């Protein structure tokens, strides 16, 4: 945006100048912000929103020089929203080697609200389960396997499938807090200094056929509420109620897990 004007401190709309491709300079409420002008995609990652506050900007300055004049400043991250494109998710799934887990023909599809995993047990039936996203500790994202189904008799119970999925996910080496990695890809790779990010929290995590969406914000309201998917909610409650039995399942002690499930006080309240 050329021919920018400096707005008054109380002007909520703000206008800016843009010289760095994809970024624009915004002057709002007496503050200087660098924001994403339009969504930008590279290597399967789409940046849908970005707000960096230049906390040490001193007025007046050359507005016409655009946001590039601040790329070596230590800015404050206020907001970041990204979308992992389907090809990026599918590529990650393709790196998995399910054979050591006794699984073959693994496929992942993005559905409304979850990722659907389909495959076949080695010398056994086909199966399916879902992967849901939940906020982790403050900024992280937890991937939760749930709603397992077996389409025929096999050597494993359906309840063991989420634990196989968890082991497979661990093999991907997904970071507990992906924000620093995303900032390096989106900003440092473009010559920008890594911003301070200690004040932001995970504000959104969702899945739909267009990709996996994640957003962090300084204005995040706090811990997220219960998941909307009743199957995911039931899985979380069941994991807490049957923690001992689930631990036995994770270790492969099927007989011990069966006995623990039947003996648990919560057995009558859960299917």
């Amino acid at each position: 945006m050329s021919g920018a004007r400096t707005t008054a401190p109380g002007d909520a709309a703000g206008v800016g100048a843009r010289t760095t491709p994809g970024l624009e300079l915004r002057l709002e409420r007496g503050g200087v912000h660098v924001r994403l002008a339009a969504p930008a995609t590279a290597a399967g990652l789409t940046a849908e929103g970005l707000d960096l506050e230049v906390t040490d900007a001193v007025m007046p300055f050359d507005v016409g020089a655009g946001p590039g004049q601040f790329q070596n400043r230590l800015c404050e991250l206020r907001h970041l929203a990204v979308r992992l494109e389907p090809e990026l998710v599918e590529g990650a799934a393709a790196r998995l080697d399910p054979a050591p887990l006794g699984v073959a023909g693994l496929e992942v599809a993005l559905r409304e609200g979850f990722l659907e995993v389909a495959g076949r047990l080695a010398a056994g039936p086909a199966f399916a389960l879902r992967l849901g996203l939940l906020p982790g500790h403050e900024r992280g994202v937890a991937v939760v396997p749930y709603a397992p189904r077996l389409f025929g008799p096999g050597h494993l119970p359906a309840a063991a499938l989420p634990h196989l999925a968890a082991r497979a996910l661990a093999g991907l080496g997904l970071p507990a807090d992906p924000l620093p990695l995303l900032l390096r890809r989106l900003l440092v790779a473009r010559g920008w200094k890594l911003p301070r990010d200690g004040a932001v929290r995970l504000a959104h995590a969702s899945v739909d056929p267009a990709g996996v969406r994640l957003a962090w914000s300084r204005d995040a309201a706090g811990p997220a509420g219960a998941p909307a998917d009743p199957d995911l909610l039931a899985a979380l409650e069941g994991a807490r109620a049957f923690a001992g039995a689930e631990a036995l399942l994770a270790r492969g002690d099927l007989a011990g897990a069966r006995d623990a499930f039947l003996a648990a006080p919560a057995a009558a309240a859960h299917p």
Side-chain angles (χ1 to χ4, degrees), residues 10-234:
D11 189 343
V15 295
R18 189 175 75 210
T19 57
T20 303
L23 298 177
E24 64 180 5
L25 188 61
R26 305 285 293 185
L27 309 179
E28 297 182 358
R29 301 184 183 278
V32 179
H33 297 255
V34 174
R35 291 185 177 169
L36 193 67
T41 302
L45 179 66
T46 296
E48 296 187 319
L50 174 69
D51 184 358
L52 301 175
E53 183 177 6
V54 187
T55 55
D56 62 350
V58 178
M59 298 287 190
F61 62 89
D62 184 3
V63 177
Q69 63 187 298
F70 298 116
Q71 69 181 63
N72 292 319
R73 300 282 189 92
L74 182 58
C75 299
E76 187 82 26
L77 178 67
R78 297 189 63 89
H79 175 75
L80 175 67
V82 300
R83 183 176 75 245
L84 282 62
E85 299 291 335
E87 59 266 27
L88 188 63
V89 178
E90 293 161 1
R95 296 199 306 270
L96 290 172
D97 181 11
L101 301 176
V103 174
L106 198 64
E107 296 181 355
V108 176
L110 286 85
R111 308 298 187 199
E112 193 67 42
F114 59 90
L115 293 97
E116 185 175 53
V117 180
R120 182 175 295 276
L121 295 179
F127 70 86
L129 77 157
R130 298 176 179 182
L131 301 178
L133 299 183
L134 290 175
H137 178 66
E138 293 187 345
R139 302 194 320 185
V141 182
V143 183
V144 182
Y146 70 106
R149 291 174 292 162
L150 275 177
F151 302 107
H155 65 284
L156 286 176
L161 293 176
H163 297 286
L164 289 181
R167 288 166 58 188
L169 289 169
L172 284 177
L174 300 175
D177 178 6
L179 182 58
L181 177 62
L182 293 170
L183 289 173
R184 291 188 188 95
R185 286 190 58 177
L186 295 171
L187 290 173
V188 177
R190 301 174 67 168
W192 282 75
K193 193 169 186 176
L194 200 65
R196 289 188 295 261
D197 59 12
V200 299
R201 296 293 180 266
L202 185 71
H204 180 81
S206 66
V207 181
D208 60 45
V212 175
R213 286 183 165 86
L214 304 172
W216 290 262
S217 175
R218 286 187 63 177
D219 300 325
D229 186 338
D231 290 331
L232 178 53
L233 180 59

